[in-house]
Amino acid sequence: MKLHINDTELEAEPAPGQCTRTFLREHGHLEVRKGCDAGDCGACTVLLDDRPVHSCLIPAQRLDGARVTTVAGLAGPDGELHPVQQAFVEKFGYQCGFCTAGQIVTASALTADDLDDLPRRMKGNLCRCTGYRSIREAIETGVRRGCAVDGPRAAEGTVGCSARPPAAERIVTSTEPFTFDVDLTGALHLRVLGSPHAHARIRSIDATAARAAPGVALVLTHHDVPDLRYSTARHEHRTDDPDDTRMLDDVVRHVGQRVAAVVAETPAQAEAACALIAVDYEVLPAVLDPEAARLPGAPLVHPDRTPADRVDESSRNVVLALHGGHGGDVDAALAGSVHTVTGTWRTSRVSHAQLECHGAIGSLDDDGRLVVRAGTQVPFLTRAELARVLGLDPDRVRVHTARVGGGFGGKQEMFAEDLVGLAVLRTGRTVVHEFTRTEEFTRTALRHPMRVAVTLGADDDGRLTAMKLDVLSDTGAYGNHSRGVLFHAVAESVSVYNCPVKHLDAEVVYTNNVPSGAFRGYGLGQVMFAVESAMDELAIVAGLDPFDLRRRNMVRAGDPLHVAHHGDPEHDLHWTSYGMDQCLDLVQDALADGSGDPVPEGPTWRVGEGTALGMMTTMAPFGHAATTTVTLLPGGRYRLGAGTVEFGNGTTTTHRQVVATVLGTTADRVDAHHGDTDACGYDTGAFASAGTTVAGKALHAAATALRARILAVTGGGELHADGVTTPDGEWSLDEVLAAASSPGGLSATGEEPGTARAITANCHGVRVAVDTATGEVRVLRSVQAVDAGTVLNPEQLRGQVEGGAAMGLGSALYEEVYVGESGEILNSVFRTYRVPQMADVPVTEVRYARTHDALGTYGAKSMSEAPYNPVAPAVANAIRRALGVRPYHQPFSRDRVWRLAAGGTAS
Ligand code: FES
């Protein structure tokens, strides 16, 4: 077969049944990416004879005589960017960048006439990061070939400017590699056999036929792996999570759990051999309902685990129980309150749906060390646990990342690296394990579903007199992140309001469901949905404006914070800035101006406004450390090294800005090196929104120390991009290196122990129209105000807030992973699990409080997770105001809202 790819002729034969995506990648076109391999996400879009297609759906045999254009073929004859590519650079049209090639290819085929119908034209291209506003603007600009640039894009890229990400051109040309964008010729491929049962004991397992199958190099069952328990979750302290997981176990506890792994020359051979493994299961009773899991006689998921494993009561399936409060008898306080409201709210399972699937590539280096290239947010923590599980010295393991294609907490886990590492050690060869999209739903982790009962009491003026919470969280079959999520879920959501009497009962339990795990917001969004809904109901009952009710009760700078963390709850929290009041004002003003989409016409539409307030700390408790380096290189360039990871959160950009600002240079003269346990200093990782507040501070310290070293050489003076100006004359930076006897480079390190945390705030407001005839909820106006301290990069922060709000709207209105009666996932592809498309997402107006945080890097605070949290309660409150009845079950899908409007239950 002959075809042209980007004007280069290729003569090749595809494998039987091969799709165009894998065919193109096999022939070196790594710019064509996999997001789903089911035609749903568009990450693999190419032009086939000038028509955009999802290449995963096109049989490669059909390419005979065809012309295929990938994103790499869009550039002009002299290498100049295509107008759409250029516009994506200018408009910050990406965050992680994994979807970008597909977006650009689809948009490159549009005409100006198509722009009127842009959301429909782009419906085949999903983005999980951006909220689409920047993509839409980039496409409109690029297609019109204007490429106009608005706003500050200071070339110097110092703090406060919307400096472009360093990878911008590489992202839009798809030359920035992600985890699997390397030559895998000769590598072995690992596939997993999953359990068909929610709970079963493996009586016997026979892999004889699989081991003898063509191409098979290795089969692993529970007989072949270390007899050691650990957690897939990774934290600074490994004892934060229960040791309840074996690499392969003789008991399976959820449908899809790993039963065996096959490593073969090709993916197809590995999959075929999986089917040859004979397993004799003793099916055990399963418990899928978290309420039932605590009852006497319930099937026990981990009966052998003890408090020494960080499982509080395995005899009740309880991983962690939190009971306590302050101020005395909460029931008495409620009984004495003028107003009381009570309710029980429920949240669904949500998938991270980051477009890059999980996975890892393992190999041995020349010294026989294990090297793992992984799609992870936590390379250092993964190295530590990988070494422990495999019985290796940590120095014999290197974990590194390329750019990570989205995470949202889902890659704060070790889901692939353990099996890959063991397979490399056993075979001595390179081994690849890339998850399928369905495995993302069945074998990684989902957001913890929670049931949250809230009762509030208030006096005549609407001041809270009592607050009582009862929380039940479902961690599924394993306890990864279960304890931390529960701590966090009931911390800031309770602390945000002053109340003399608070009482909390909270438990997280094992069930035989797919495990839950870390997810943007880390549990806070689920409890905030309930508390902010109850506050809105209290405003209605007390006859108060919901903004005023919150102002009356919210914590003010200096107030005690009665968080529910174990140990000393207040030892590391600081009121070093305060912008909660501004956030409320900004949203109230925005909604009051009445702008937004027009109200749909018709007798069945009802309109309501809703708001919700959020508070979050700037990093995880109990330490989040970073050690960084900054090096002056020959030629006046600098290199920064930070162990954290870029996965769309923008740390590579803000880190360069921080270093450039301290050293008086420009961001484009600073090279960033992230996410490599060999090449960077220790970093806890990319989570808890800590990239700015921890690694950023460590880089500030390193750059400051380097500046001092440079000026010590010159005897003082003014450091600038080209050298140092002293009273005695100019020094070039190369002269500084020579005088320091360090011609290869001059370095300094910076450390941040990360134990002091500040408080961020955000407020979300919406106006919605609800169609009582259909249950449709249309968002007419969406606005979020955030207190992020000093804004280091306005365009980038705006993108984080918009993306968080879009994800929040998805969770609010339709995202839900359904579980069948036998514990199986019913909608494990994007066609049935709905991720917001461009047409679904309204523009969220972003406003900034003006604060400066004394703890933060240049006064900045973190703001990556928090924007997600208040969106669902704001939408719920708007629906309540529109219909007069309150939704208690998230998502507020059409069927639920229709039943609610019709007077039925909303569950
Ligand atoms: Fe679109 Fe990350 S930028 S998926």
Side-chain angles (χ1 to χ4, degrees):
M1 157 177 114
K2 283 185 183 172
L3 69 155
H4 279 84
I5 307 175
N6 299 337
D7 291 333
T8 299
E9 189 176 65
L10 174 70
E11 186 168 354
E13 291 305 318
Q18 186 170 27
C19 74
T20 294
R21 183 190 73 79
T22 58
F23 177 79
L24 291 171
R25 285 182 69 87
E26 272 183 19
H27 288 86
H29 292 279
L30 302 179
E31 68 271 21
V32 183
R33 303 222 158 81
K34 178 187 99 173
C36 67
D37 265 357
D40 296 326
C41 79
C44 66
T45 304
V46 299
L47 298 180
L48 181 57
D49 295 331
D50 297 329
R51 193 170 58 90
V53 295
H54 292 177
S55 62
C56 67
L57 290 182
I58 306 294
Q61 287 95 334
R62 287 201 205 157
L63 298 180
D64 194 14
R67 215 161 14 87
V68 176
T69 307
T70 74
V71 72
L74 294 178
D78 298 323
E80 71 272 19
L81 295 179
H82 183 281
V84 175
Q85 290 174 313
Q86 180 63 30
F88 267 73
V89 171
E90 304 292 355
K91 297 291 184 182
F92 286 65
Y94 60 87
Q95 285 173 18
C96 81
F98 198 82
C99 72
T100 309
Q103 305 271 5
I104 288 173
V105 170
T106 301
S108 72
L110 300 179
T111 66
D113 289 344
D114 293 323
L115 297 179
D116 292 339
D117 198 18
L118 190 58
R120 196 169 69 81
R121 298 286 178 191
M122 297 301 297
K123 70 179 181 183
N125 288 85
L126 298 178
C127 176
R128 190 55 159 171
C129 298
T130 62
Y132 296 103
R133 190 271 312 164
S134 61
I135 291 176
R136 187 194 301 248
E137 288 184 6
I139 293 172
E140 288 171 348
T141 301
V143 170
R144 292 194 176 106
R145 299 181 183 265
C147 298
V149 182
D150 55 8
R153 299 287 191 279
E156 64 269 23
T158 49
V159 162
C161 292
S162 290
R164 285 181 199 154
E169 277 78 9
R170 298 193 300 275
I171 292 288
V172 301
T173 53
S174 203
T175 51
E176 175 77 0
F178 289 84
T179 307
F180 297 101
D181 297 339
V182 288
D183 183 1
L184 297 175
T185 305
L188 295 168
H189 297 264
L190 188 151
R191 288 290 187 273
V192 167
L193 173 67
S195 167
H197 303 295
H199 199 189
R201 184 179 309 282
I202 297 174
R203 286 199 195 98
S204 65
I205 184 165
D206 183 355
T208 308
R211 289 193 169 101
V216 171
L218 179 72
V219 178
L220 297 170
T221 73
H222 64 269
H223 297 298
D224 310 303
V225 301
D227 188 9
L228 180 77
R229 292 193 185 275
Y230 54 96
S231 176
T232 57
R234 308 296 348 121
H235 281 108
E236 173 74 13
H237 306 289
R238 68 170 308 284
T239 50
D240 282 359
D241 297 282
D243 283 334
D244 58 10
T245 303
R246 249 191 104 191
M247 197 182 299
L248 296 167
D249 209 340
D250 61 347
V251 175
V252 287
R253 298 176 174 86
H254 69 89
V255 174
Q257 180 175 329
R258 299 163 166 185
V259 170
V262 174
V263 182
E265 299 292 340
T266 69
Q269 288 173 331
E271 274 168 25
C274 280
L276 299 176
I277 298 173
V279 187
D280 180 18
Y281 294 100
E282 175 194 356
V283 177
L284 302 172
V287 59
L288 304 178
D289 177 358
E291 303 277 2
R294 297 187 294 186
L295 298 176
L300 298 181
V301 182
H302 290 277
D304 299 332
R305 302 278 69 80
T306 70
D309 303 310
R310 275 85 64 195
V311 178
D312 284 10
E313 281 185 84
S314 59
S315 61
R316 287 202 308 128
N317 287 315
V318 172
V319 186
L320 174 69
L322 296 170
H323 301 286
H326 69 87
D329 186 338
V330 71
D331 291 324
L334 286 168
S337 299
V338 175
H339 304 291
T340 57
V341 294
T342 190
T344 299
W345 286 264
R346 297 173 199 281
T347 60
S348 65
R349 287 183 172 76
V350 179
S351 171
H352 303 81
Q354 79 291 333
L355 282 203
E356 183 197 49
C357 293
H358 285 76
I361 304 166
S363 60
L364 297 176
D365 68 12
D366 292 343
D367 293 329
R369 297 167 75 229
L370 176 63
V371 178
V372 177
R373 175 184 171 114
T376 180
Q377 296 172 230
V378 285
F380 283 86
L381 303 184
T382 299
R383 177 181 69 165
E385 198 65 3
L386 196 53
R388 177 178 173 273
V389 169
L390 298 177
L392 299 173
D393 187 302
D395 288 344
R396 301 293 297 165
V397 181
R398 173 189 174 203
V399 176
H400 68 111
T401 65
R403 192 177 181 91
V404 178
F408 313 113
K411 292 176 178 171
Q412 198 187 334
E413 309 253 8
M414 187 170 72
F415 287 132
E417 296 89 337
D418 50 353
L419 275 178
V420 166
L422 184 63
V424 169
L425 296 180
R426 295 280 169 87
T427 63
R429 293 179 56 184
T430 298
V431 176
V432 186
H433 183 21
E434 182 179 11
F435 280 44
T436 65
R437 180 54 57 183
T438 290
E439 286 177 315
E440 290 291 315
F441 285 90
T442 58
R443 203 170 291 139
T444 62
L446 305 168
R447 187 172 86 141
H448 287 79
M450 292 192 195
R451 188 270 291 142
V452 185
V454 178
T455 306
L456 299 178
D459 66 16
D460 211 18
D461 293 330
R463 295 188 193 283
L464 289 171
T465 51
M467 176 186 284
K468 184 179 182 180
L469 266 71
D470 183 349
V471 180
L472 179 61
S473 174
D474 180 1
T475 191
Y478 292 92
N480 41 309
H481 290 283
S482 60
R483 299 171 68 91
V485 164
L486 190 68
F487 283 134
H488 191 64
V490 298
E492 292 97 314
S493 57
V494 173
S495 303
V496 67
Y497 296 115
N498 286 318
C499 180
V501 184
K502 292 180 180 175
H503 184 84
L504 168 76
D505 293 297
E507 294 189 338
V508 55
V509 297
Y510 286 126
T511 62
N512 292 110
N513 289 307
V514 171
S516 306
F519 188 102
R520 194 174 201 163
Y522 213 58
L524 187 49
Q526 292 95 311
V527 179
M528 193 182 289
F529 166 46
V531 171
E532 289 301 297
S533 293
M535 286 296 286
D536 189 67
E537 200 60 33
L538 181 61
I540 293 168
V541 169
L544 291 169
D545 177 272
F547 288 97
D548 287 343
L549 179 79
R550 289 179 171 86
R551 287 191 186 96
R552 247 168 241 202
N553 291 287
M554 67 189 185
V555 287
R556 302 277 174 175
D559 285 349
L561 293 163
H562 298 294
V563 297
H565 288 131
H566 51 324
D568 176 0
E570 296 168 26
H571 72 289
D572 62 351
L573 276 176
H574 302 275
W575 284 113
T576 41
S577 56
Y578 183 81
M580 204 174 285
D581 50 353
Q582 293 183 54
C583 290
L584 279 175
D585 293 347
L586 288 166
V587 171
Q588 188 170 23
D589 290 349
L591 290 180
D593 76 15
S595 61
D597 286 352
V599 176
E601 293 183 2
T604 57
W605 287 96
R606 307 281 184 273
V607 177
E609 289 185 356
T611 192
L613 177 64
M615 183 178 103
M616 200 161 182
T617 57
T618 52
M619 71 179 83
F622 311 121
H624 187 127
T627 299
T628 62
T629 57
V630 179
T631 304
L632 171 61
L633 299 170
R637 296 191 66 80
Y638 295 90
R639 182 181 65 223
L640 71 83
T644 190
V645 172
E646 173 66 79
F647 62 109
N649 49 350
T651 45
T652 47
T653 313
T654 51
H655 286 176
R656 291 201 324 165
Q657 289 179 265
V658 168
V659 169
T661 302
V662 173
L663 294 169
T665 188
T666 56
D668 59 2
R669 296 190 207 199
V670 181
D671 300 321
H673 198 140
H674 284 79
D676 188 337
T677 59
D678 267 14
C680 305
Y682 177 83
D683 192 290
T684 303
F687 62 91
S689 306
T692 299
T693 52
V694 182
K697 281 184 79 174
L699 280 166
H700 186 273
T704 302
L706 179 59
R707 178 188 177 90
R709 289 194 71 182
I710 292 170
L711 295 182
V713 172
T714 61
E718 182 187 346
L719 176 62
H720 52 80
D722 298 318
V724 181
T725 303
T726 71
D728 300 327
E730 289 287 332
W731 291 63
S732 74
L733 291 171
D734 283 342
E735 289 170 337
V736 171
L737 289 178
S741 301
S742 301
L746 191 64
S747 292
T749 61
E751 294 185 10
E752 171 55 40
T755 59
R757 295 181 296 152
I759 309 288
T760 70
N762 56 340
C763 180
H764 199 88
V766 293
R767 183 183 308 120
V768 306
V770 184
D771 187 351
T772 57
T774 64
E776 179 185 355
V777 177
R778 202 174 290 178
V779 179
L780 308 176
R781 184 84 189 270
S782 172
V783 57
Q784 186 164 136
V786 302
D787 170 23
T790 302
V791 178
L792 298 185
N793 186 316
E795 198 70 43
Q796 198 161 271
L797 176 59
R798 179 183 174 190
Q800 290 293 317
V801 178
E802 291 170 337
M807 192 180 269
L809 285 169
S811 300
L813 294 175
Y814 36 77
E815 287 191 43
E816 180 167 14
V817 177
Y818 298 110
V819 179
E821 290 182 355
S822 301
E824 73 281 19
I825 301 297
L826 299 176
N827 54 338
S828 60
V829 293
F830 283 152
R831 193 149 301 177
T832 48
Y833 179 88
R834 187 172 164 208
V835 170
Q837 301 173 348
M838 182 183 282
D840 298 316
V841 181
V843 171
T844 288
E845 180 184 335
V846 181
R847 299 190 174 197
Y848 303 129
R850 294 182 181 276
T851 64
H852 177 99
D853 189 70
L855 281 175
T857 314
Y858 287 106
K861 300 193 279 191
S862 51
M863 191 52 69
S864 293
E865 296 186 78
Y868 171 82
N869 294 328
V871 178
V875 173
N877 293 339
I879 293 171
R880 163 66 180 87
R881 303 274 174 167
L883 296 181
V885 283
R886 179 167 295 285
Y888 288 93
H889 198 154
Q890 189 182 322
F892 324 125
S893 50
R894 280 193 181 200
D895 55 333
R896 288 195 178 111
V897 173
W898 180 82
R899 284 200 296 274
L900 199 65
T905 65
S907 297

